[in-house]
């Protein structure tokens, strides 16, 4: 079922753990932040974990520090990989930033084979490549969304090609 599938988007960075002080689309587009890696098409911020949204434990203390997450769409997929490799594990304001490729699900209209009327729809309206398509459970289990994993796979493929093996394997095993 397409409703349960997620497609890794090679032009989309998903970054978590951003300090609230930088949770602003215009600021994140600047060359001090995501803009240094290339042309940005779109930034969507999730501020739900900022101020008051953090869970509290029985003694009233916060279980986690407030933070934001961002989906950053780059014009070029090479810029996306460079961003992920530089940002994943980087510390900003004593916070460990995690970055990976973002995923998208299929638009419910596409699944039903009807026209999507939402001009700003961010979901997929075409089938994704098999190598980039996983179930939601596979994505949650950590199947190949980190930039380092993708870079390692690309290097393995180059070594295989140089060795005369041009066969392709599906990412994630199987």
């Amino acid at each position: 079922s397409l409703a349960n599938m997620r497609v890794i988007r090679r032009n989309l960075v998903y970054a978590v753990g951003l300090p609230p002080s930088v949770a602003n689309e215009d600021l994140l587009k600047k060359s001090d932040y995501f803009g240094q890696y290339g042309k940005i098409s779109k930034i969507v911020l999730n501020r739900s974990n900022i101020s008051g949204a953090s869970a509290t434990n029985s003694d009233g203390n916060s279980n986690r520090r407030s933070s934001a997450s961002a989906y950053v769409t780059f014009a070029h997929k090479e810029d996306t990989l460079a961003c992920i490799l530089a940002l994943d594990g980087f510390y900003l304001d004593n916070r460990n930033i995690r970055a990976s490729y973002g995923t998208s699900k299929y638009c419910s209209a596409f699944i039903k084979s009807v026209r999507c009327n939402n001009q700003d729809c961010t979901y997929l309206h075409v089938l994704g490549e098999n190598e980039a398509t996983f179930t939601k459970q596979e994505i949650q289990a950590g199947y190949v969304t980190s930039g380092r994993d993708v870079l390692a796979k690309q290097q393995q493929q180059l070594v295989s090609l140089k060795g005369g093996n041009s066969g392709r394997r599906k990412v994630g095993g199987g």
Side-chain angles (χ1 to χ4, degrees), residues 26-111:
D26 292 331
L27 180 62
L28 290 174
K29 283 183 181 181
K30 293 187 176 192
S31 62
D32 288 343
Y33 296 98
F34 290 99
Q36 68 185 290
Y37 302 104
K39 182 179 180 190
I40 296 172
S41 304
K42 183 177 187 177
I43 293 182
V44 176
L45 275 174
N46 178 357
R47 297 179 185 91
S48 64
N49 289 330
I50 295 179
S51 68
S54 295
T56 55
N57 58 25
S58 59
D59 62 7
N61 292 324
S62 177
N63 288 335
R64 58 184 158 156
R65 296 167 58 186
S66 51
S67 65
S69 60
Y71 287 93
V72 182
T73 305
F74 283 91
H76 305 286
K77 63 183 180 180
E78 299 80 12
D79 298 336
T80 308
L81 181 57
C83 176
I84 291 169
L85 292 174
L87 195 59
D88 189 41
F90 182 78
Y91 280 83
L92 180 62
D93 293 347
N94 284 331
R95 295 164 189 272
N96 186 11
I97 308 300
R98 303 301 305 180
S100 64
Y101 282 109
T103 62
S104 290
K105 60 184 182 176
Y106 288 100
C107 175
S108 59
F110 175 75
I111 293 170

Side-chain angles (χ1 to χ4, degrees), residues 42 106-109 116-125:
K42 183 177 187 177
Y106 288 100
C107 175
S108 59
C116 177
N117 293 320
N118 180 355
Q119 292 180 354
D120 296 323
C121 186
T122 58
Y123 299 118
L124 294 174
H125 298 92

Side-chain angles (χ1 to χ4, degrees), residues 140-158:
Q140 289 171 340
Y143 276 89
V144 195
T145 57
S146 84
R148 294 182 198 326
D149 291 341
V150 170
L151 193 58
K153 291 265 185 221
Q154 288 173 348
Q155 289 172 341
Q156 283 177 343
Q157 287 173 346
L158 284 175

